mmCIF file of all heavy atoms in Angstrom:
data_model
loop_
_atom_site.group_PDB
_atom_site.id
_atom_site.type_symbol
_atom_site.label_atom_id
_atom_site.label_comp_id
_atom_site.label_asym_id
_atom_site.label_seq_id
_atom_site.Cartn_x
_atom_site.Cartn_y
_atom_site.Cartn_z
ATOM 1 N N HIS L 1 97.321 110.715 108.373
ATOM 2 C CA HIS L 1 97.492 111.503 109.657
ATOM 3 C C HIS L 1 98.975 111.960 109.821
ATOM 4 O O HIS L 1 99.202 112.868 110.559
ATOM 5 C CB HIS L 1 97.088 110.627 110.855
ATOM 6 C CG HIS L 1 95.579 110.609 110.956
ATOM 7 N ND1 HIS L 1 94.810 111.656 111.457
ATOM 8 C CD2 HIS L 1 94.647 109.686 110.658
ATOM 9 C CE1 HIS L 1 93.609 111.372 111.498
ATOM 10 N NE2 HIS L 1 93.479 110.235 110.963
ATOM 11 N N VAL L 2 99.856 111.387 109.019
ATOM 12 C CA VAL L 2 101.202 112.070 108.995
ATOM 13 C C VAL L 2 101.012 113.435 108.290
ATOM 14 O O VAL L 2 101.525 114.504 108.649
ATOM 15 C CB VAL L 2 102.219 111.194 108.215
ATOM 16 C CG1 VAL L 2 103.542 112.000 107.892
ATOM 17 C CG2 VAL L 2 102.570 110.007 109.075
ATOM 18 N N GLN L 3 100.287 113.339 107.159
ATOM 19 C CA GLN L 3 100.048 114.634 106.452
ATOM 20 C C GLN L 3 99.242 115.627 107.281
ATOM 21 O O GLN L 3 99.444 116.829 107.335
ATOM 22 C CB GLN L 3 99.169 114.381 105.160
ATOM 23 C CG GLN L 3 99.025 115.556 104.305
ATOM 24 C CD GLN L 3 100.207 116.184 103.756
ATOM 25 O OE1 GLN L 3 100.930 115.548 103.040
ATOM 26 N NE2 GLN L 3 100.428 117.499 104.049
ATOM 27 N N ALA L 4 98.204 115.077 108.044
ATOM 28 C CA ALA L 4 97.461 115.942 108.917
ATOM 29 C C ALA L 4 98.326 116.633 109.983
ATOM 30 O O ALA L 4 98.082 117.830 110.288
ATOM 31 C CB ALA L 4 96.332 115.060 109.607
ATOM 32 N N ASN L 5 99.244 115.876 110.506
ATOM 33 C CA ASN L 5 100.124 116.426 111.538
ATOM 34 C C ASN L 5 100.958 117.617 110.910
ATOM 35 O O ASN L 5 101.120 118.595 111.509
ATOM 36 C CB ASN L 5 101.036 115.381 112.077
ATOM 37 C CG ASN L 5 100.438 114.734 113.322
ATOM 38 O OD1 ASN L 5 100.539 115.248 114.415
ATOM 39 N ND2 ASN L 5 99.888 113.533 113.123
ATOM 40 N N LYS L 6 101.361 117.404 109.652
ATOM 41 C CA LYS L 6 102.136 118.400 109.013
ATOM 42 C C LYS L 6 101.298 119.665 108.765
ATOM 43 O O LYS L 6 101.717 120.758 108.962
ATOM 44 C CB LYS L 6 102.687 117.883 107.604
ATOM 45 C CG LYS L 6 103.521 118.934 106.909
ATOM 46 C CD LYS L 6 104.017 118.265 105.617
ATOM 47 C CE LYS L 6 104.938 119.288 104.883
ATOM 48 N NZ LYS L 6 105.505 118.747 103.657
ATOM 49 N N ASN L 7 99.999 119.367 108.393
ATOM 50 C CA ASN L 7 99.038 120.563 108.180
ATOM 51 C C ASN L 7 98.826 121.335 109.411
ATOM 52 O O ASN L 7 98.496 122.574 109.264
ATOM 53 C CB ASN L 7 97.710 119.966 107.623
ATOM 54 C CG ASN L 7 97.854 119.289 106.275
ATOM 55 O OD1 ASN L 7 98.902 119.473 105.560
ATOM 56 N ND2 ASN L 7 96.796 118.594 105.851
ATOM 57 N N VAL L 8 98.721 120.680 110.560
ATOM 58 C CA VAL L 8 98.426 121.433 111.818
ATOM 59 C C VAL L 8 99.626 122.037 112.502
ATOM 60 O O VAL L 8 99.578 122.690 113.532
ATOM 61 C CB VAL L 8 97.607 120.600 112.790
ATOM 62 C CG1 VAL L 8 96.246 120.131 112.191
ATOM 63 C CG2 VAL L 8 98.456 119.439 113.319
ATOM 64 N N GLY L 9 100.851 121.777 111.957
ATOM 65 C CA GLY L 9 102.060 122.440 112.439
ATOM 66 C C GLY L 9 102.926 121.639 113.256
ATOM 67 O O GLY L 9 103.890 122.115 113.842
ATOM 68 N N ASN L 10 102.797 120.242 113.275
ATOM 69 C CA ASN L 10 103.669 119.389 113.914
ATOM 70 C C ASN L 10 104.834 119.092 113.046
ATOM 71 O O ASN L 10 104.631 118.623 111.876
ATOM 72 C CB ASN L 10 103.081 118.092 114.348
ATOM 73 C CG ASN L 10 102.082 118.380 115.554
ATOM 74 O OD1 ASN L 10 102.436 119.163 116.458
ATOM 75 N ND2 ASN L 10 100.977 117.699 115.617
ATOM 76 N N ASP L 11 106.038 119.315 113.427
ATOM 77 C CA ASP L 11 107.258 119.127 112.497
ATOM 78 C C ASP L 11 107.711 117.654 112.498
ATOM 79 O O ASP L 11 107.272 116.769 113.183
ATOM 80 C CB ASP L 11 108.334 120.073 112.833
ATOM 81 C CG ASP L 11 108.978 119.896 114.239
ATOM 82 O OD1 ASP L 11 108.745 118.746 114.845
ATOM 83 O OD2 ASP L 11 109.609 120.773 114.750
ATOM 84 N N LYS L 12 108.659 117.423 111.598
ATOM 85 C CA LYS L 12 109.141 116.050 111.354
ATOM 86 C C LYS L 12 109.824 115.540 112.686
ATOM 87 O O LYS L 12 109.639 114.314 113.001
ATOM 88 C CB LYS L 12 110.070 116.002 110.213
ATOM 89 C CG LYS L 12 110.599 114.599 109.923
ATOM 90 C CD LYS L 12 111.485 114.630 108.587
ATOM 91 C CE LYS L 12 111.832 113.189 108.268
ATOM 92 N NZ LYS L 12 112.723 113.111 107.023
ATOM 93 N N ALA L 13 110.602 116.309 113.361
ATOM 94 C CA ALA L 13 111.296 115.893 114.526
ATOM 95 C C ALA L 13 110.291 115.443 115.626
ATOM 96 O O ALA L 13 110.544 114.441 116.258
ATOM 97 C CB ALA L 13 112.184 117.015 115.057
ATOM 98 N N THR L 14 109.197 116.151 115.771
ATOM 99 C CA THR L 14 108.151 115.818 116.693
ATOM 100 C C THR L 14 107.467 114.422 116.354
ATOM 101 O O THR L 14 107.300 113.563 117.193
ATOM 102 C CB THR L 14 107.096 116.901 116.801
ATOM 103 O OG1 THR L 14 107.711 118.110 117.155
ATOM 104 C CG2 THR L 14 106.096 116.541 117.829
ATOM 105 N N LEU L 15 107.173 114.251 115.127
ATOM 106 C CA LEU L 15 106.561 112.995 114.644
ATOM 107 C C LEU L 15 107.505 111.830 114.911
ATOM 108 O O LEU L 15 107.135 110.761 115.346
ATOM 109 C CB LEU L 15 106.156 113.076 113.200
ATOM 110 C CG LEU L 15 104.723 113.527 112.919
ATOM 111 C CD1 LEU L 15 104.473 114.947 113.391
ATOM 112 C CD2 LEU L 15 104.354 113.326 111.496
ATOM 113 N N ILE L 16 108.790 112.049 114.570
ATOM 114 C CA ILE L 16 109.780 110.933 114.828
ATOM 115 C C ILE L 16 109.882 110.659 116.289
ATOM 116 O O ILE L 16 109.935 109.477 116.701
ATOM 117 C CB ILE L 16 111.156 111.340 114.317
ATOM 118 C CG1 ILE L 16 111.132 111.383 112.720
ATOM 119 C CG2 ILE L 16 112.237 110.413 114.697
ATOM 120 C CD1 ILE L 16 112.363 111.959 112.093
ATOM 121 N N SER L 17 109.863 111.684 117.088
ATOM 122 C CA SER L 17 109.857 111.436 118.557
ATOM 123 C C SER L 17 108.613 110.655 119.086
ATOM 124 O O SER L 17 108.804 109.756 119.911
ATOM 125 C CB SER L 17 109.950 112.811 119.273
ATOM 126 O OG SER L 17 111.115 113.503 119.005
ATOM 127 N N VAL L 18 107.462 111.005 118.571
ATOM 128 C CA VAL L 18 106.226 110.291 119.002
ATOM 129 C C VAL L 18 106.270 108.899 118.552
ATOM 130 O O VAL L 18 105.913 107.949 119.383
ATOM 131 C CB VAL L 18 104.996 111.006 118.376
ATOM 132 C CG1 VAL L 18 103.840 110.167 118.582
ATOM 133 C CG2 VAL L 18 104.845 112.311 119.228
ATOM 134 N N ILE L 19 106.613 108.586 117.336
ATOM 135 C CA ILE L 19 106.716 107.291 116.819
ATOM 136 C C ILE L 19 107.784 106.483 117.556
ATOM 137 O O ILE L 19 107.580 105.275 117.849
ATOM 138 C CB ILE L 19 106.953 107.241 115.321
ATOM 139 C CG1 ILE L 19 105.748 107.850 114.585
ATOM 140 C CG2 ILE L 19 107.198 105.776 114.775
ATOM 141 C CD1 ILE L 19 105.927 108.164 113.153
ATOM 142 N N THR L 20 108.932 107.096 117.911
ATOM 143 C CA THR L 20 109.922 106.384 118.662
ATOM 144 C C THR L 20 109.396 106.080 120.058
ATOM 145 O O THR L 20 109.687 104.947 120.619
ATOM 146 C CB THR L 20 111.172 107.345 118.877
ATOM 147 O OG1 THR L 20 111.731 107.629 117.573
ATOM 148 C CG2 THR L 20 112.291 106.620 119.715
ATOM 149 N N GLN L 21 108.522 106.901 120.701
ATOM 150 C CA GLN L 21 107.974 106.600 122.005
ATOM 151 C C GLN L 21 107.069 105.448 121.981
ATOM 152 O O GLN L 21 106.904 104.601 122.854
ATOM 153 C CB GLN L 21 107.230 107.791 122.513
ATOM 154 C CG GLN L 21 106.621 107.722 123.858
ATOM 155 C CD GLN L 21 107.621 107.449 124.961
ATOM 156 O OE1 GLN L 21 108.778 107.941 124.822
ATOM 157 N NE2 GLN L 21 107.261 106.822 126.081
ATOM 158 N N CYS L 22 106.425 105.143 120.733
ATOM 159 C CA CYS L 22 105.505 104.043 120.571
ATOM 160 C C CYS L 22 106.233 102.700 120.454
ATOM 161 O O CYS L 22 105.681 101.730 120.662
ATOM 162 C CB CYS L 22 104.701 104.243 119.298
ATOM 163 S SG CYS L 22 103.547 105.645 119.270
ATOM 164 N N LEU L 23 107.526 102.802 119.986
ATOM 165 C CA LEU L 23 108.234 101.629 119.577
ATOM 166 C C LEU L 23 108.242 100.535 120.657
ATOM 167 O O LEU L 23 107.940 99.333 120.269
ATOM 168 C CB LEU L 23 109.736 102.070 119.297
ATOM 169 C CG LEU L 23 110.716 100.871 119.134
ATOM 170 C CD1 LEU L 23 110.404 99.956 118.032
ATOM 171 C CD2 LEU L 23 112.105 101.439 118.846
ATOM 172 N N PRO L 24 108.544 100.774 121.891
ATOM 173 C CA PRO L 24 108.618 99.686 122.858
ATOM 174 C C PRO L 24 107.258 98.892 122.988
ATOM 175 O O PRO L 24 107.222 97.713 123.542
ATOM 176 C CB PRO L 24 109.074 100.287 124.190
ATOM 177 C CG PRO L 24 109.630 101.535 123.807
ATOM 178 C CD PRO L 24 108.967 102.018 122.581
ATOM 179 N N TYR L 25 106.181 99.572 122.615
ATOM 180 C CA TYR L 25 104.847 99.036 122.910
ATOM 181 C C TYR L 25 104.149 98.536 121.610
ATOM 182 O O TYR L 25 103.212 97.773 121.738
ATOM 183 C CB TYR L 25 103.951 100.145 123.543
ATOM 184 C CG TYR L 25 104.683 100.791 124.696
ATOM 185 C CD1 TYR L 25 105.303 102.028 124.526
ATOM 186 C CD2 TYR L 25 104.817 100.261 125.902
ATOM 187 C CE1 TYR L 25 105.970 102.693 125.511
ATOM 188 C CE2 TYR L 25 105.485 100.759 126.984
ATOM 189 C CZ TYR L 25 106.083 102.074 126.780
ATOM 190 O OH TYR L 25 106.823 102.632 127.781
ATOM 191 N N MET L 26 104.679 98.914 120.484
ATOM 192 C CA MET L 26 104.133 98.267 119.233
ATOM 193 C C MET L 26 105.095 97.544 118.305
ATOM 194 O O MET L 26 104.727 96.980 117.424
ATOM 195 C CB MET L 26 103.461 99.386 118.478
ATOM 196 C CG MET L 26 104.316 100.473 117.767
ATOM 197 S SD MET L 26 103.353 101.631 116.893
ATOM 198 C CE MET L 26 104.662 102.647 116.135
ATOM 199 N N GLY L 27 106.398 97.587 118.667
ATOM 200 C CA GLY L 27 107.381 96.836 117.950
ATOM 201 C C GLY L 27 107.984 97.535 116.764
ATOM 202 O O GLY L 27 107.392 98.571 116.301
ATOM 203 N N PHE L 28 109.011 96.979 116.231
ATOM 204 C CA PHE L 28 109.801 97.622 115.115
ATOM 205 C C PHE L 28 109.030 97.647 113.733
ATOM 206 O O PHE L 28 108.985 98.579 112.989
ATOM 207 C CB PHE L 28 111.093 96.962 114.842
ATOM 208 C CG PHE L 28 112.173 97.414 115.835
ATOM 209 C CD1 PHE L 28 112.443 96.782 116.980
ATOM 210 C CD2 PHE L 28 112.831 98.625 115.463
ATOM 211 C CE1 PHE L 28 113.502 97.251 117.807
ATOM 212 C CE2 PHE L 28 113.778 99.132 116.222
ATOM 213 C CZ PHE L 28 114.121 98.448 117.502
ATOM 214 N N PRO L 29 108.228 96.523 113.310
ATOM 215 C CA PRO L 29 107.594 96.564 112.072
ATOM 216 C C PRO L 29 106.666 97.760 111.888
ATOM 217 O O PRO L 29 106.645 98.479 110.860
ATOM 218 C CB PRO L 29 106.741 95.279 111.952
ATOM 219 C CG PRO L 29 107.643 94.319 112.865
ATOM 220 C CD PRO L 29 108.114 95.164 114.010
ATOM 221 N N ARG L 30 105.734 98.000 112.970
ATOM 222 C CA ARG L 30 104.814 99.112 112.801
ATOM 223 C C ARG L 30 105.515 100.480 112.940
ATOM 224 O O ARG L 30 105.120 101.399 112.308
ATOM 225 C CB ARG L 30 103.700 98.987 113.812
ATOM 226 C CG ARG L 30 102.810 97.782 113.568
ATOM 227 C CD ARG L 30 101.796 97.469 114.599
ATOM 228 N NE ARG L 30 101.039 96.293 114.291
ATOM 229 C CZ ARG L 30 100.187 95.679 115.005
ATOM 230 N NH1 ARG L 30 99.817 96.254 116.166
ATOM 231 N NH2 ARG L 30 99.566 94.535 114.661
ATOM 232 N N THR L 31 106.655 100.471 113.777
ATOM 233 C CA THR L 31 107.382 101.726 113.849
ATOM 234 C C THR L 31 108.031 102.019 112.514
ATOM 235 O O THR L 31 107.965 103.233 112.073
ATOM 236 C CB THR L 31 108.476 101.506 114.927
ATOM 237 O OG1 THR L 31 107.864 101.230 116.151
ATOM 238 C CG2 THR L 31 109.325 102.695 115.029
ATOM 239 N N LEU L 32 108.575 101.140 111.907
ATOM 240 C CA LEU L 32 109.283 101.386 110.604
ATOM 241 C C LEU L 32 108.274 101.847 109.489
ATOM 242 O O LEU L 32 108.594 102.610 108.658
ATOM 243 C CB LEU L 32 110.114 100.198 110.162
ATOM 244 C CG LEU L 32 111.336 99.824 111.027
ATOM 245 C CD1 LEU L 32 111.928 98.599 110.636
ATOM 246 C CD2 LEU L 32 112.345 101.010 111.043
ATOM 247 N N ASN L 33 107.096 101.195 109.532
ATOM 248 C CA ASN L 33 106.083 101.465 108.576
ATOM 249 C C ASN L 33 105.683 102.984 108.714
ATOM 250 O O ASN L 33 105.535 103.755 107.722
ATOM 251 C CB ASN L 33 104.796 100.647 108.690
ATOM 252 C CG ASN L 33 105.033 99.245 108.251
ATOM 253 O OD1 ASN L 33 105.924 98.959 107.526
ATOM 254 N ND2 ASN L 33 104.172 98.366 108.634
ATOM 255 N N ALA L 34 105.458 103.399 109.958
ATOM 256 C CA ALA L 34 105.067 104.803 110.223
ATOM 257 C C ALA L 34 106.171 105.801 109.825
ATOM 258 O O ALA L 34 105.893 106.776 109.199
ATOM 259 C CB ALA L 34 104.744 104.929 111.665
ATOM 260 N N LEU L 35 107.419 105.450 110.210
ATOM 261 C CA LEU L 35 108.528 106.317 109.791
ATOM 262 C C LEU L 35 108.698 106.428 108.255
ATOM 263 O O LEU L 35 109.059 107.400 107.789
ATOM 264 C CB LEU L 35 109.845 105.781 110.356
ATOM 265 C CG LEU L 35 109.995 105.939 111.910
ATOM 266 C CD1 LEU L 35 111.221 105.221 112.409
ATOM 267 C CD2 LEU L 35 110.020 107.390 112.301
ATOM 268 N N ALA L 36 108.330 105.339 107.531
ATOM 269 C CA ALA L 36 108.417 105.388 106.044
ATOM 270 C C ALA L 36 107.491 106.512 105.515
ATOM 271 O O ALA L 36 107.888 107.263 104.590
ATOM 272 C CB ALA L 36 108.061 104.065 105.430
ATOM 273 N N TYR L 37 106.341 106.655 106.135
ATOM 274 C CA TYR L 37 105.368 107.650 105.642
ATOM 275 C C TYR L 37 105.807 109.039 106.172
ATOM 276 O O TYR L 37 105.594 110.025 105.355
ATOM 277 C CB TYR L 37 103.935 107.330 106.144
ATOM 278 C CG TYR L 37 103.330 106.152 105.442
ATOM 279 C CD1 TYR L 37 103.004 104.966 106.176
ATOM 280 C CD2 TYR L 37 103.170 106.226 103.973
ATOM 281 C CE1 TYR L 37 102.410 103.944 105.451
ATOM 282 C CE2 TYR L 37 102.547 105.155 103.398
ATOM 283 C CZ TYR L 37 102.120 103.993 104.140
ATOM 284 O OH TYR L 37 101.592 102.919 103.478
ATOM 285 N N VAL L 38 106.466 109.190 107.286
ATOM 286 C CA VAL L 38 107.027 110.419 107.687
ATOM 287 C C VAL L 38 108.049 110.894 106.648
ATOM 288 O O VAL L 38 108.096 112.091 106.267
ATOM 289 C CB VAL L 38 107.567 110.341 109.114
ATOM 290 C CG1 VAL L 38 108.323 111.577 109.481
ATOM 291 C CG2 VAL L 38 106.498 110.087 110.142
#
């Protein structure tokens, strides 16, 4: 779904912003995993 977001036109900065917004609610381990794929 990182690739899917790229395919539909969402840029890297937007993905980083969304994952950052998730951080307080899902914690650092899952945040860092997602950022690694970005």
